């Protein structure tokens, strides 16, 4: 096997088409065999999430901006503001099908690939985790409930204590 050697000070890691490593100054992409594919400067990255369905990487920066990076080339494809920054705190995020779900406290926003708001509404509690699949989001609340929603309705709720949901999926998340 090959040992992946990254720059120091790793902040976050995401897996999609490739392995993406966010350090305090850069984003690096590694192939499945461990070879470095590209490196781009990201001096203020805080967190990263990969959308394997679109080979897209989203980086949340310390100035409440999301950068959308092409996972194949490392090129920036979009830049947009984090919603509901007035609430403070680190948002919970998920990406699937080119969309980015951003949950802060009891607000859920889904952004299109260009950063346009596709959905923005309050949900039924403080969010601890979120996942996206097809045209729906699954929200896990801090009290352990889960709910499947889209922009028009709630499809189901689940009351047992749920602590985690997969960030993305084509058919199921829980």
């Amino acid at each position: 096997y090959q040992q992946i050697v990254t720059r120091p000070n790793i902040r976050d890691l995401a897996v999609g088409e490739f392995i993406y490593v966010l350090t305090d100054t850069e984003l690096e992409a590694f192939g499945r065999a461990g070879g470095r594919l590209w490196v781009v400067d990201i001096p203020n990255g805080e967190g990263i999430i990969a959308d394997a369905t679109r080979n897209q990487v989203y980086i949340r920066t310390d100035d409440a901006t999301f950068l959308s990076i092409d996972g194949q080339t490392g090129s920036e494809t979009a830049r947009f503001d984090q919603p509901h920054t007035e609430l403070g705190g680190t948002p919970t995020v998920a990406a699937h099908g080119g969309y980015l779900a951003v949950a802060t406290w009891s607000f859920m926003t889904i952004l299109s690939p260009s950063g346009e708001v596709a959905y923005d509404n309050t949900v039924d509690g403080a969010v601890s985790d979120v996942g996206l699949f097809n045209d729906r989001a699954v929200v896990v609340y801090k009290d352990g409930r889960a709910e499947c929603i889209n922009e028009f309705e709630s499809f189901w709720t689940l009351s047992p204590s749920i602590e985690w949901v997969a960030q993305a999926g084509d058919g199921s998340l829980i």
Side-chain angles (χ1 to χ4, degrees):
Y1 74 92
Q2 179 174 339
Q3 176 74 35
I4 293 178
V5 179
T6 69
R7 309 287 203 273
N9 303 320
I10 294 175
R11 290 188 178 225
D12 207 355
L13 179 135
V15 178
E17 179 71 19
F18 304 119
I19 300 159
Y20 305 98
V21 177
L22 180 66
T23 70
D24 59 353
T25 61
E26 297 172 320
L27 176 65
E28 300 176 274
F30 296 89
R32 293 180 182 175
R36 182 177 285 113
L37 303 173
W38 50 258
V39 178
V40 294
D41 289 336
I42 307 286
N44 58 349
E46 291 287 321
I48 182 174
I49 189 158
D51 180 349
T53 64
R54 298 288 284 262
N55 200 12
Q56 202 71 20
V57 182
Y58 297 95
I59 299 165
R60 183 181 47 78
T61 67
D62 64 4
D63 64 353
T65 300
F66 280 102
L67 305 178
S68 178
I69 306 292
D70 181 303
Q72 189 75 34
T73 66
S75 301
E76 184 177 315
T77 58
R79 178 180 293 249
F80 40 89
D81 293 333
Q82 176 184 316
H84 300 291
T85 56
E86 72 278 7
L87 300 172
T90 301
T92 300
V93 296
H96 181 72
Y99 288 84
L100 181 68
V102 182
T104 306
W105 294 102
S106 62
F107 289 91
M108 168 74 113
T109 305
I110 299 177
L111 302 168
S112 73
S114 65
E116 298 294 319
V117 174
Y119 174 83
D120 188 36
N121 212 338
T122 58
V123 291
D124 190 32
V127 176
S128 65
D129 207 357
V130 64
L132 287 175
F133 71 107
N134 301 331
D135 64 342
R136 299 176 186 174
V138 173
V139 179
V140 177
Y141 300 109
K142 291 188 179 189
D143 65 6
R145 294 175 300 122
E147 181 177 21
C148 179
I149 60 174
N150 77 2
E151 65 181 295
F152 304 111
E153 63 185 305
S154 173
F155 290 94
W156 52 258
T157 60
L158 184 63
S159 292
S161 183
I162 304 291
E163 295 179 9
W164 176 86
V165 65
Q167 293 177 347
D170 289 326
S172 63
L173 295 174
I174 296 179

